[in-house]
Amino acid sequence: EPFIRKYYLISQQSGLYPLPRTIDWNKSVDKTFLTERLSYKQPMLSSVLVEKSDMIEIIYPDILFIDYIPILSEKALDVLKIYEPAMTVKQVNLIEGIGEDIKPYHIPILKEVDCLSEKTIFKCGRQIDKGILIKKNIPDFSIFKIAGEIDKDRVIVRADFAESFLKRRLKGITLMNLEVV
């Protein structure tokens, strides 16, 4: 039996508060353009305003999920560039207040892959509870997303990518182990 690589479903760590609340995200970032085929339509650089929090400092994790789209900090982008140097990435600046605080983030244009086994167990509709991947359908990518109707989290990372993330102490992510058959 050849070595089976490990994969994880990556999601936003729960309990991080307050995360940036974007204003007009959909005006600057069109979700339908975040595919390999249409990514040329999404500008290389966009800016999105973030609601200012007077109470408490906003937390900017190294991976932020907006509308279940992963956006990466500069530190996280460095990891992506090691593993996927050819991947298309779009920059989106999160701007707090009247432009005094700009946080650069990056949207990787992920390959959509049909590799989820029908043995996968879902909860609350189409939310992955126990994910099972079909080994022969998994591409040679360290990060990709599951094609098809999935509610919520659908981004998969390979173990080496995840380890590089953790080694650099990148914050804000939760990893759920996936089975490979």
Side-chain angles (χ1 to χ4, degrees), residues 35-140:
T35 63
E36 289 181 302
R37 210 166 51 85
L38 295 176
S39 66
Y40 70 92
K41 293 185 170 186
Q42 174 65 32
M44 278 315 290
L45 173 63
S46 330
S47 296
V48 176
L49 295 176
V50 169
E51 251 175 56
K52 209 161 169 43
S53 168
D54 299 324
M55 312 280 291
I56 169 173
E57 201 173 323
I58 293 174
I59 293 171
Y60 287 91
D62 290 301
I63 288 198
L64 187 56
F65 282 82
I66 296 182
D67 208 359
Y68 301 101
I69 298 159
I71 67 170
L72 310 178
S73 70
E74 303 271 297
K75 269 164 80 178
L77 180 69
D78 291 342
V79 176
L80 182 77
K81 282 185 173 153
I82 295 167
Y83 290 95
E84 302 297 344
M87 187 173 281
T88 303
V89 176
K90 304 292 181 160
Q91 186 170 336
V92 56
N93 286 338
L94 300 185
I95 302 175
E96 219 182 293
I98 26 188
E100 67 266 17
D101 203 2
I102 297 176
K103 298 277 192 293
Y105 272 88
H106 307 272
I107 308 174
I109 305 299
L110 301 178
K111 197 175 205 42
E112 288 216 26
V113 182
D114 194 359
C115 61
L116 202 59
S117 157
E118 64 254 16
K119 295 191 179 86
T120 292
I121 298 164
F122 294 98
K123 62 179 181 198
C124 317
R126 299 281 295 167
Q127 216 174 312
I128 297 171
D129 188 31
K130 182 174 187 278
I132 301 171
L133 304 181
I134 302 162
K135 184 172 152 196
K136 66 176 190 335
N137 294 5
I138 299 174
D140 192 18

Side-chain angles (χ1 to χ4, degrees), residues 140-159:
D140 192 18
F141 279 99
S142 61
I143 179 170
F144 56 91
K145 64 181 174 191
I146 295 172
E149 289 300 307
I150 307 285
D151 298 341
K152 305 213 157 118
D153 303 305
R154 55 181 334 153
V155 178
I156 306 290
V157 290
R158 204 171 56 206

